[in-house]
Amino acid sequence: MSILEKDLTVKKATREAFGDEIVKLGKENKNIYVIDVDIAKSCKTVNFIKQLPDQHINVGIAEQNAAGLAAGLATTGKIPFVSTYAVFGSLRMLEQIRQEVCYPNLNVKIACSHGGLTPANDGGSHQAIEDMGVLRSVPNMTVIMGADYYSTRKLVEQAAKVYGPVYLRFTRDTVPMIYDENEEFTIGKAKKIKNGSDIAIIANGDTVRLALEATKELEKQGISVKLLDMHTIKPLDREAVVDCLNVGKIITVEDHNILNGLGSAVCEVVAEEGKGTVRRIGVQDQFGQSAPYEKLLELNGITVENIIKTAKELILD
């Protein structure tokens, strides 16, 4: 069965994927450590604590200390995963990440739940809409967000195996299970879901499911869509973006500020190539508010309907 034919009613949060995969990895490699900041239940590391207590450290509500501790552990050959919320892991810890992790290029992983608008009813202060953009601008940092449960597990596994700083972003809310368990993913290489000739859609994270639904509808209307899951924001798969320029018209979709995220990264490549047109769908450079997740997406135009509308406008342009 192709991905376009799959039933997308089965859902699971990608933070669950991290919780499950980190236990597996920790059992396989005793150098893997989890550093918590008193929110293990929310970040799904409770099972790791129960099963691998000797590889777990809770520093309390002290994210900056967690980053420093992770850096120290990395210098001894450990592979620490700092587990926290995206707003804390990208912003509160930023100076420590830059100076203590990325500057010396240490093998530290920042694994963050509650990415993008998925914290929803927690309000704008808990919605990390700029995190991937902030961290993609720091040298040596790899930035990743899986689209669903299985892709996230595979990407967490790869993050543990590659050397260097990695930022992993997970959803709080459930998202459809798009991929099968045996799908393979490579950090820095886009997942090519479908080829097409009229429009290219490049999506990331929890918006891949929206791009998939829009693709189905556009195909029904006779519009041929090239669809990519750009799970790695940095290093961006430049080759995949350049290949989309054969189509010529690109839509990016992300649960992130349209500034400095996926859309901006794609626009940088397109501008350097000197051809092609891009339309960015994402958070419209504004803070969120306390509201249901789907409502927040709607307020920012991150919807199936808007993807379809934008695609048709681009084709007619």
Side-chain angles (χ1 to χ4, degrees), residues 15-223:
R15 60 175 169 161
E16 299 273 3
F18 170 65
D20 293 341
E21 186 62 26
I22 200 64
V23 171
K24 172 180 170 287
L25 294 173
K27 289 179 177 178
E28 294 171 351
N29 186 347
K30 295 303 179 182
N31 283 323
I32 288 178
Y33 275 63
V34 166
I35 303 173
D36 272 313
V37 293
D38 255 4
I39 46 176
K41 184 176 179 181
S42 290
C43 293
K44 303 303 178 184
T45 54
V46 172
N47 284 336
F48 190 96
I49 297 169
K50 290 178 180 177
Q51 298 185 47
L52 299 162
D54 293 340
Q55 294 165 246
H56 175 263
I57 303 169
N58 182 15
V59 299
I61 307 171
E63 290 84 359
Q64 293 166 331
N65 288 347
L69 174 60
L73 285 171
T75 65
T76 70
K78 306 302 182 186
I79 307 171
F81 281 74
V82 180
S83 178
T84 184
Y85 292 161
V87 286
F88 304 144
S90 61
L91 301 176
R92 184 174 294 175
M93 291 164 52
L94 181 57
E95 183 180 357
Q96 286 71 29
I97 290 172
R98 182 186 188 274
Q99 299 296 103
E100 299 176 28
V101 174
C102 289
Y103 186 70
N105 195 28
L106 295 178
N107 196 23
V108 173
K109 320 302 174 183
I110 312 297
C112 291
S113 180
H114 292 54
L117 297 172
T118 65
N121 292 327
D122 288 345
S125 64
H126 276 59
Q127 294 158 15
I129 58 166
E130 60 281 281
D131 54 324
M132 293 194 291
V134 167
L135 290 175
R136 88 175 181 96
S137 66
V138 180
N140 293 327
M141 179 62 81
T142 294
V143 180
I144 297 169
M145 186 179 189
D148 76 341
Y149 177 85
Y150 285 126
S151 62
T152 299
R153 286 199 66 160
K154 292 292 180 69
L155 290 164
V156 170
E157 178 185 33
Q158 286 204 16
K161 292 178 179 178
V162 301
Y163 184 88
V166 179
Y167 179 69
L168 293 152
R169 189 200 214 208
F170 314 125
T171 64
R172 175 194 176 186
D173 279 27
T174 60
V175 290
M177 296 177 72
I178 297 169
Y179 298 106
D180 292 327
E181 187 175 3
N182 60 357
E183 286 280 353
E184 294 299 326
F185 295 83
T186 301
I187 290 174
K189 292 295 181 183
K191 188 70 174 178
K192 297 178 182 180
I193 297 175
K194 184 185 174 300
N195 282 320
S197 57
D198 294 325
I199 194 88
I201 302 176
I202 305 175
N204 168 265
D206 49 310
T207 67
V208 172
R209 51 107 180 181
L210 301 174
L212 192 55
E213 293 286 5
T215 296
K216 291 178 183 178
E217 183 56 37
L218 287 166
E219 291 281 336
K220 287 178 184 177
Q221 297 181 29
I223 296 171

Side-chain angles (χ1 to χ4, degrees), residues 265-284:
V266 169
C267 283
E268 290 162 13
V269 173
V270 172
E272 288 167 355
E273 291 294 318
K275 60 180 180 178
T277 304
V278 181
R279 293 287 182 271
R280 294 173 294 166
I281 293 176
V283 178
Q284 298 298 300

